[in-house]
Amino acid sequence: MTKNTNIFANLRSDFPSGLVVFLVALPLCLGIALASGAPPLSGIIAGVIGGIVIGSLSRSHISVSGPAAGLTSIVLAAITSFGSFELFLLAVVLAGFFQVILGFLKAGSISNYFPANVIEGMLAGIGVIIIITQLEHAVGYDKDYEGDEQFFRLDGTNPFSDIPVILERFETGAIIISLVSLAILIAWDKIPALKRLRLIPGALVAVAAGIAINQIFIATGSFALGIEHLVKLPQLRSFQDFSNVLVMPDFTGIGNTQVWITALTIAVVASIETLLCIEASDRMDVQKRYTDTNIELKAQGIGNILSGFIGGLPMTSVVVRSSANAAAGARSKMSTIIHGFLLLICVLAIPMILNMIPLATLAAVLLMVGYKLASPSKLKYFWAKGKYQFIPFIATLVVVVAFGLLYGVAIGMFISIIFIMRGNMKRAYNFRRDEYSAGDVIHIDLAQEVSFLNKAAIKSTLNEIPENSKVIINASDTVYIAHDVLELIEEFRDVKAKEENIEVILLGFKEAYELENTGDYVSIEHPDNKK
């Protein structure tokens, strides 16, 4: 069967999903720019390039790129340190070149080593963060910027520390709009007749309802939401306004060491976050297609070079946008491209209408995304899989929520590696003991591969073999044994076995490891060490 490469083939699904991602991405682009200490439209520029340029070059069908909350602290520190946004843009351009180089070096292949339970734990953790942070916006408390993906903020506060203030300053209008929007989204998701209206996504209906309800509140003078609770998009009234947005990098700073360090930092962090998101996006793809991650790094690099050249923030593939894209039913990367064009066209053509959208409505859209990412069914699934799957999953989830995406994935990977090491130790051999009238016979059947990680377990087993017994160590099925383990067996036979009257029989070693008999002493030599 030939693969359909026509990106226009699924427009009935991709246009509505692109529209949903546009609605989600708009406040996120603005919020992340604000939190980064950058001009507001620098986030929009990055969103447009992430959608159109990276979307076109990428091989991913689901992932959506744009300014990322995970880079906020790096961007804020760099702009503050340089004292110049133009100098920071130079670092973004250089970071893009570094990413292109990483792509050619095939660094994207490391994504193949991310365990599925860690990726799912990361997604669930981000889902929990979305739910916690968006609940504030849903009740009209809009202190924190849209797009924050960290439980503990840069100022040391967290959503729970805001509860006393929220109880005093919640907006009744925002709560009504959120509840109505959630009802629309749930109905669109559950009622078959509404689900068939593919060209009219539930998020668009919810946004229209949110605008209409707030206009009614304004007309009646009750529960109206002020501009601080609405989307805040800068308006470009003239060509001069537009040209002022396009800021060029300051290339005179090319010799500044700090610029290069910042560029390398952005490139590494952005690449890791991108690879994690690509792996997650592939898991969310209902058609189970796989992305060439090396091409993705090149696409991200080209996107960041262009973004830095015209005044945009650095980008990564972003989980929130990508999961919203998958949940909205995207079938190809055309959805991502459409969202980029919608950002460009609507920001230039209808900023007045966009600035009427209540943040509470967008919070409802993101709450649905968060619930799907952190669905209780995932918890049940990994619990049923056993502790070796559940513990890395739940550890990743908790640390992502508490400290951030990269920390969570690092902890999950660390725990998974420990479990793998323990599993290897246990599977290195089969230990069995048979009773014979002539005495005890102990069989140790070595596995196909025995690495240095198995040394401790084998050493412990050999030390526990009782006196006056007979032990048969069988390597007939073994292809590889680490030299450390061979020396251990040799020492056991020549020292402990003689002292405790243990008869040792070695089977299968000659073929695999060239045993050479020299009287009472049998030397064990690994082929790699033989001259």
Side-chain angles (χ1 to χ4, degrees):
M1 189 173 75
T2 57
K3 227 185 226 183
N4 189 352
T5 56
N6 181 7
I7 62 173
F8 298 98
N10 299 294
L11 274 178
R12 284 178 59 84
S13 299
D14 289 338
F15 185 82
S17 56
L19 183 56
V20 171
V21 178
F22 155 70
L23 293 171
V24 169
L26 177 63
L28 300 186
C29 290
L30 293 170
I32 289 168
L34 179 66
S36 302
L41 283 175
S42 64
I44 298 293
I45 291 170
V48 170
I49 293 173
I52 299 173
V53 178
I54 297 180
S56 299
L57 297 175
S58 171
R59 296 286 177 87
S60 175
H61 300 275
I62 299 297
S63 98
V64 182
S65 296
L71 296 175
T72 300
S73 57
I74 298 172
V75 174
L76 179 61
I79 293 174
T80 305
S81 172
F82 295 147
S84 164
F85 184 61
E86 290 80 5
L87 203 55
F88 167 73
L89 292 177
L90 176 60
V92 176
V93 172
L94 294 175
F97 279 110
F98 280 134
Q99 286 187 292
V100 172
I101 293 170
L102 287 173
F104 279 109
L105 293 176
K106 300 191 181 301
S109 303
I110 66 170
S111 65
N112 295 323
Y113 301 100
F114 298 140
N117 53 354
V118 172
I119 295 298
E120 291 291 350
M122 176 193 79
L123 289 173
I126 291 174
V128 171
I129 291 173
I130 291 172
I131 292 170
I132 293 172
T133 56
Q134 293 305 314
L135 281 173
E136 291 190 344
H137 297 290
V139 299
Y141 184 71
D142 298 312
K143 170 194 167 186
D144 195 23
Y145 71 93
E146 282 282 7
D148 192 358
E149 292 176 7
Q150 287 186 307
F151 184 79
F152 294 108
R153 306 183 188 118
L154 297 177
D155 61 3
T157 61
N158 63 74
F160 290 131
S161 66
D162 292 337
I163 290 176
V165 184
I166 292 172
L167 293 176
E168 294 176 4
R169 296 175 52 185
F170 71 87
E171 294 282 342
T172 304
I175 295 174
I176 293 171
I177 289 171
S178 297
L179 292 175
V180 171
S181 299
L182 280 172
I184 291 170
L185 292 167
I186 293 170
W188 231 259
D189 196 42
K190 299 295 182 183
I191 299 175
L194 295 176
K195 285 177 76 173
R196 284 195 288 270
L197 297 174
R198 284 187 171 185
L199 290 176
I200 308 175
L204 179 61
V205 178
V207 166
I211 293 174
I213 293 170
N214 194 46
Q215 291 305 306
I216 293 171
F217 289 160
I218 292 171
T220 58
S222 301
F223 307 138
L225 297 179
I227 58 172
E228 69 273 18
H229 302 297
L230 307 176
V231 170
K232 303 181 189 71
L233 183 65
Q235 297 183 45
L236 304 177
R237 294 185 173 87
S238 65
F239 180 78
Q240 183 63 36
D241 289 343
F242 181 74
S243 62
N244 289 339
V245 171
L246 302 179
V247 183
M248 296 289 288
D250 180 5
F251 288 100
T252 61
I254 195 71
N256 188 327
T257 306
Q258 278 304 121
V259 170
W260 287 89
I261 292 173
T262 300
L264 188 59
T265 303
I266 291 172
V268 171
V269 175
S271 297
I272 292 172
E273 291 204 7
T274 290
L275 294 177
L276 288 168
C277 182
I278 289 297
E279 192 69 16
S281 298
D282 286 349
R283 291 188 64 80
M284 290 186 284
D285 184 2
V286 293
Q287 297 184 50
K288 300 304 175 188
R289 294 162 291 188
Y290 296 103
T291 302
D292 186 325
T293 48
N294 295 312
I295 291 178
E296 184 66 29
L297 287 179
K298 296 173 190 175
Q300 294 286 333
I302 293 169
N304 277 324
I305 291 169
L306 184 56
S307 183
F309 261 117
I310 61 175
L313 291 176
M315 295 169 288
T316 73
S317 178
V318 186
V319 172
V320 177
R321 295 174 179 82
S322 302
S323 54
N325 196 32
R331 301 292 297 277
S332 77
K333 64 182 183 179
M334 191 64 190
S335 174
T336 302
I337 298 169
I338 287 170
H339 120 273
F341 276 111
L342 287 174
L343 273 175
L344 177 63
I345 295 167
C346 293
V347 165
L348 294 176
I350 53 170
M352 289 286 291
I353 295 175
L354 297 180
N355 284 344
M356 296 168 66
I357 300 175
L359 294 177
T361 291
L362 300 177
V365 174
L366 286 168
L367 282 170
M368 291 293 291
V369 171
Y371 177 78
K372 289 178 180 179
L373 287 175
S375 170
S377 61
K378 280 189 182 180
L379 205 65
K380 294 177 183 177
Y381 174 80
F382 283 103
W383 177 264
K385 287 287 184 180
K387 63 181 180 181
Y388 293 114
Q389 288 292 314
F390 181 75
I391 292 176
F393 166 81
I394 200 69
T396 303
L397 189 161
V398 171
V399 178
V400 164
V401 171
F403 301 106
L405 185 149
L406 294 182
Y407 290 105
V409 171
I411 289 295
M413 291 286 290
F414 178 72
I415 294 172
S416 295
I417 289 170
I418 289 176
F419 283 163
I420 290 169
M421 289 170 63
R422 287 189 62 190
N424 281 344
M425 290 179 203
K426 290 180 180 179
R427 288 191 293 271
Y429 59 92
N430 180 32
F431 179 63
R432 53 195 171 92
R433 176 173 171 169
D434 300 319
E435 295 290 341
Y436 291 91
S437 58
D440 294 340
V441 178
I442 300 168
H443 291 262
I444 300 177
D445 301 327
L446 298 181
Q448 192 171 24
E449 293 189 6
V450 183
S451 74
F452 72 94
L453 299 174
N454 311 122
K455 180 179 177 180
I458 294 175
K459 184 177 183 179
S460 175
T461 298
L462 294 177
N463 283 337
E464 292 171 4
I465 292 176
E467 296 180 3
N468 305 312
S469 59
K470 179 179 179 180
V471 60
I472 301 173
I473 304 176
N474 188 352
S476 299
D477 297 327
T478 305
V479 175
Y480 168 79
I481 299 181
H483 191 67
D484 288 2
V485 177
L486 288 170
E487 287 184 344
L488 179 67
I489 294 172
E490 183 181 62
E491 288 170 2
F492 166 75
R493 186 208 52 227
D494 294 334
V495 181
K496 178 180 169 66
K498 288 183 177 180
E499 289 176 355
E500 299 184 3
N501 193 32
I502 300 172
E503 182 183 354
V504 179
I505 298 177
L506 303 178
L507 299 177
F509 284 83
K510 185 173 182 180
E511 293 78 6
Y513 304 102
E514 299 187 14
L515 298 189
E516 294 177 0
N517 291 303
T518 56
D520 289 338
Y521 181 78
V522 182
S523 64
I524 303 176
E525 184 179 19
H526 193 285
D528 292 345
N529 297 325
K530 189 175 181 182
K531 302 294 183 185

